[in-house]
Amino acid sequence: MAVQFLLGTFVSVINIMIHALVTVAAIDIARGAGLRHTTRPRSHLMAVMVTTAVILMVAHTVEVLIWALAYAAVGAAPNGSDLLYFTFVNYTTLGYGDVTPVESWRLTGPMTAMNGILMFGWSTAVLFEVLRKTLEHLAAIKASGFSSGDRD
């Protein structure tokens, strides 16, 4: 069980580092895009939010692939199962319906779920912060349809 815990911790730390790098990049991109003057503030806001969400989704996909590599390395998924599907089921906390982990590695499933839910919560906070900052900027430049009252 200790080996499972160490593997799960190692992969989680790698994913946390990936998410930290992507968060910094997403916020920098959103800040740069959000600070531009625009004649179409609603479209601008939508573009900033969609771009941020796509960047975060790519990060989550990379993180799932890292878990899939770890599962493949130790043989945590049952023979004949779709490794990527199995990993997504764990990471998204969807829960098992048709595939369960090899008994000797079953702790990796909950550890993957714990890592995934942490990363999704983090992404939610990033999206909210980008939205807040973009609305703040649109109000500051007095974009039509946006005022400082929108933030309250």
Side-chain angles (χ1 to χ4, degrees), residues 7-28:
L7 175 72
T9 301
F10 178 72
V11 175
S12 291
V13 168
I14 289 170
N15 283 345
I16 290 167
M17 291 186 320
I18 290 168
H19 221 75
L21 288 170
V22 170
T23 296
V24 170
I27 289 175
D28 283 347

Side-chain angles (χ1 to χ4, degrees), residues 49-144:
M49 295 307 298
V50 167
T51 301
T52 304
V54 167
I55 290 168
L56 291 167
M57 286 181 69
V58 168
H60 286 289
T61 303
V62 169
E63 291 159 8
V64 166
L65 291 172
I66 301 273
W67 274 107
L69 289 172
Y71 285 0
V74 300
N79 288 335
S81 63
D82 180 345
L83 189 59
L84 195 56
Y85 168 76
F86 177 71
T87 307
F88 262 108
V89 165
N90 283 314
Y91 186 84
T92 61
T93 70
L94 180 61
Y96 302 114
D98 52 351
V99 183
T100 56
V102 172
E103 190 168 331
S104 60
W105 286 99
R106 63 181 176 187
L107 184 59
T108 56
M111 291 195 74
T112 305
M114 180 176 65
N115 182 234
I117 202 158
L118 175 65
M119 297 301 100
F120 285 123
W122 186 344
S123 291
T124 301
V126 169
L127 283 166
F128 182 77
E129 181 62 11
V130 167
L131 174 63
R132 192 182 70 76
K133 286 291 190 183
T134 305
L135 286 173
E136 190 175 88
H137 170 71
L138 291 172
I141 65 169
K142 298 181 179 12
S144 66

